Amino acid sequence: MVAKTFAFGVLGIRAFLVEVEVDVASGLPSFTVVGLPDNIVRESKERVKSALLNCGYPFPMDRVTVNLAPAHLRKEGAAFDLPIAVGVLAASGFLDPETVARPILLGELSLDGRVKAVSGCLPMAIHAKELRRKTMIVPSENASEAAVVDGTEVLPVSHLAEVVEHFRGLRPLAKTEASALDLFPLASRDPVDLSDVKGQEHAKRALEVAAAGGHNLLLVGPPGSGKTMLAQRLPTILPPLSLEESLETSQIYSVAGLLRDQPLIVRRPFRHPHHTISDAGLIGGGHVPRPGEVSLAHNGVLFLDEFPEFRRNILDLLRQPLEDGQVTISRASMTLTYPARFTLIAAMNPCPCGFAGDRPGRCRCSASEIQRYRSRISGPILDRIDLHVDVPAVNIQDLHSAQPAESSHQVRDRVMAARERQRARFRNEGIFTNAAMSPKDVKRHCILDPHGERLLHEAIATLHLSARAYHRILKVARTVADLEGSETIAPQHVLEAIQYRTLDRTLWM
């Protein structure tokens, strides 16, 4: 007898429907899973058999064949345990085959029949809505994650017996209710604030410009000058996540198995990987490709402290996500693309000891040591960072100053006003920030007067900047003008944008 249940698989952050066909036929006892399963799916036969027997349900002593269709797509993970177990019971005549074929079934089984959480439940729920499959039976730990998708009935289970009793009509499962919009007020309570940073007004201004235009930022200064504090507070001045952005980011965390304590990501991510991270950890990858830190920072901030300490080949891997807003991982069996649109904040010391340019005599690094340290960052990567900002040691008077500093809320209001101007400007062009402009967009929206043109040409000639740096100066100048509410780019806007490139000369030439 053949029975069917339905489940979902995941490729990247996109789910696909899997038809689980179970055939119980006469013959020598065997249990075979076909349809391009990975090792975890192959091992499901042992978990399913033990769970059914330990729960007191019949397991057929015949030839059991499980087919996972479509056969050309690789099936990964333990989420197929529950649909396979229910399919075996239906093919054995213990459950009604028509009843078990209606909902989507997901869940990993323990040997005693408990249903454990699975990864990727959110993109599965989104795809269920797209397919108009209205009912999903999922592990209790995943229920709130799936229930935030409107239009889908989510039935949570914690044990195989609950599923069997539901299908037999003995004890129907209760629906989980959740609203994505109810979660967003929690995002307004940020644990840190920009007013915590004393002094560093120039760096705060650069942080505001970076937030307003989506620009990448490099902070250069001695230890203890506040580089990490500034980076941690960038998410607090960025516009709040929209529901669409939240769902997009949450799908990445769901696939990575990091969406356990909360059903949705409602704050902009802040990822802070250590400089010893591997290329697969930063960009993503592995035998079974998984999202890396650049994708986990999607719609948020990626902070790379001790920037020159990262291996040069790893930093060069940032080129694609910084330019395209996505990262493509190719393997022999598949090619996956993960979104990776983030704001990069990098921080570094001015020299190996960290005190070059500080008090006279404090730095003992030789010129060659400083040059080797700074040359660890390639020119192409530096070109992709719009703002280079010096963060000197904090003045003792600033630390004891009683003058109130601007809060994150005050700065965020200006940032959101500038973002609104950009949204109106690019409403028909498919981009949302000045940093995302192409050279064609720059030519159209970043027109300078003769004085501004002369200033920019002199800076390019003096600093020996590349064409990419030229366009990035124009993008930053456009953002500075937006912060002032100006439709035209004035010479003072160009001058401020140029000063953020002076490190090209002082550090790398």
Side-chain angles (χ1 to χ4, degrees):
M1 181 178 178
V2 177
K4 294 181 182 179
T5 58
F6 291 90
F8 281 127
V10 176
L11 282 176
I13 61 169
R14 291 291 300 171
F16 61 94
L17 186 66
V18 176
E19 185 177 334
V20 182
E21 300 176 302
V22 182
D23 177 43
V24 177
S26 59
L28 292 175
S30 65
F31 197 143
T32 307
V33 181
V34 298
L36 210 58
D38 70 350
N39 289 334
I40 297 176
V41 180
R42 290 193 192 97
E43 293 169 353
S44 66
K45 59 186 180 182
E46 306 298 339
R47 295 188 295 271
V48 167
K49 182 177 180 180
S50 296
L52 289 175
L53 293 176
N54 287 330
C55 291
Y57 300 125
F59 186 84
M61 300 304 294
D62 295 300
R63 182 162 56 89
V64 179
T65 304
V66 177
N67 179 44
L68 305 176
H72 69 284
L73 294 178
R74 188 168 184 82
K75 319 304 184 304
E76 302 169 350
F80 298 103
D81 288 2
L82 184 59
I84 290 174
V86 171
V88 169
L89 291 177
S92 304
F94 191 76
L95 295 176
D96 178 22
E98 291 187 7
T99 303
V100 301
R102 292 169 188 161
I104 300 294
L105 295 166
L106 302 168
E108 176 185 346
L109 287 177
S110 64
L111 300 185
D112 60 0
R114 287 178 292 113
V115 180
K116 298 181 179 179
V118 298
S119 299
C121 198
L122 180 59
M124 295 176 185
I126 292 174
H127 193 50
K129 180 181 179 180
E130 294 170 350
L131 297 177
R132 299 185 179 180
R133 302 294 297 247
K134 295 185 177 180
T135 305
M136 295 181 67
I137 296 179
V138 304
S140 297
E141 295 175 58
N142 295 119
S144 58
E145 173 185 343
V148 297
V149 180
D150 293 334
T152 302
E153 182 183 53
V154 177
L155 306 178
V157 293
S158 56
H159 199 276
L160 177 60
E162 298 175 14
V163 183
V164 174
E165 291 176 355
H166 171 77
F167 283 126
R168 301 188 74 182
L170 301 177
R171 190 180 301 171
L173 295 170
K175 177 182 176 181
T176 292
E177 300 285 353
S179 173
L181 296 178
D182 292 341
L183 302 171
F184 281 86
L186 301 175
S188 61
R189 298 191 292 270
D190 288 310
V192 296
D193 194 271
L194 193 61
S195 61
D196 300 334
V197 181
K198 302 297 184 182
Q200 306 295 13
E201 298 305 321
H202 176 61
K204 290 180 183 179
R205 170 63 177 179
L207 209 66
E208 181 179 341
V209 173
H215 302 289
N216 301 317
L217 171 64
L218 173 63
L219 302 172
V220 184
S225 59
K227 301 185 297 293
T228 300
M229 282 188 71
L230 287 163
Q232 289 173 337
R233 282 148 183 81
L234 177 59
T236 69
I237 64 174
L238 288 170
L241 276 177
S242 66
L243 178 58
E244 181 181 358
E245 290 176 322
S246 175
L247 287 171
E248 194 176 41
T249 304
S250 299
Q251 287 183 74
I252 301 171
Y253 279 72
S254 178
V255 168
L258 301 177
L259 208 60
R260 289 287 184 264
D261 300 330
Q262 52 185 343
L264 276 182
I265 301 297
V266 294
R267 284 193 180 95
R268 293 197 178 272
F270 180 83
R271 303 298 298 183
H272 183 186
H274 193 261
H275 60 78
T276 57
I277 192 171
S278 66
D279 53 355
L282 183 64
I283 301 299
H287 177 66
V288 178
R290 288 289 181 264
E293 291 291 335
V294 296
S295 295
L296 294 173
H298 182 59
N299 288 322
V301 177
L302 177 66
F303 178 46
L304 301 183
D305 200 5
E306 304 295 342
F307 199 44
E309 300 297 335
F310 286 83
R311 296 199 303 275
R312 184 163 181 162
N313 67 304
I314 289 182
L315 292 182
D316 286 339
L317 291 173
L318 291 171
R319 295 187 191 183
Q320 184 196 10
L322 287 176
E323 286 293 321
D324 303 334
Q326 62 184 21
V327 59
T328 301
I329 304 169
S330 297
R331 295 292 180 268
S333 59
M334 68 183 74
T335 297
L336 298 179
T337 298
Y338 290 106
R341 189 174 59 252
F342 56 86
T343 299
L344 172 66
I345 302 295
M348 62 175 289
N349 297 327
C351 67
C353 76
F355 298 105
D358 201 7
R359 294 192 302 271
R362 195 172 186 187
C363 175
R364 299 184 180 275
C365 300
S366 66
S368 60
E369 288 174 333
I370 295 175
Q371 181 60 32
R372 280 197 303 270
Y373 175 75
R374 296 169 176 175
S375 64
R376 294 178 187 176
I377 304 174
S378 66
I381 288 297
L382 186 64
D383 268 353
R384 288 169 169 83
I385 300 177
D386 304 347
L387 311 174
H388 312 155
V389 180
D390 185 26
V391 186
V394 183
N395 191 302
I396 190 65
Q397 284 80 16
D398 291 332
L399 286 175
H400 293 285
S401 174
Q403 183 177 358
E406 277 193 312
S407 67
S408 293
H409 180 74
Q410 292 172 296
V411 178
R412 177 187 282 179
D413 287 342
R414 294 197 297 269
V415 168
M416 291 179 65
R419 288 280 186 114
E420 192 58 41
R421 295 185 185 95
Q422 294 166 57
R423 187 175 293 109
R425 180 183 303 126
F426 305 131
R427 60 182 176 275
N428 298 321
E429 301 179 28
I431 57 179
F432 304 98
T433 61
N434 291 328
M437 284 191 290
S438 67
K440 185 184 296 184
D441 297 320
V442 171
K443 187 175 181 179
R444 184 184 305 118
H445 299 295
C446 301
I447 301 173
L448 303 180
D449 61 18
H451 187 194
E453 284 279 4
R454 186 168 60 256
L455 287 172
L456 184 53
H457 291 165
E458 290 175 357
I460 295 297
T462 303
L463 300 179
H464 304 286
L465 300 179
S466 67
R468 182 181 287 113
Y470 168 81
H471 285 109
R472 291 186 181 275
I473 288 175
L474 288 174
K475 293 177 186 180
V476 173
R478 177 69 269 173
T479 300
V480 174
D482 288 338
L483 282 169
E484 292 189 4
S486 173
E487 288 300 321
T488 59
I489 301 178
Q492 64 267 26
H493 303 147
V494 177
L495 283 172
E496 181 172 352
I498 291 172
Q499 71 161 337
Y500 295 129
R501 303 297 307 191
T502 54
L503 293 181
D504 289 329
R505 177 185 61 197
T506 58
L507 291 183
W508 277 270
M509 294 191 61

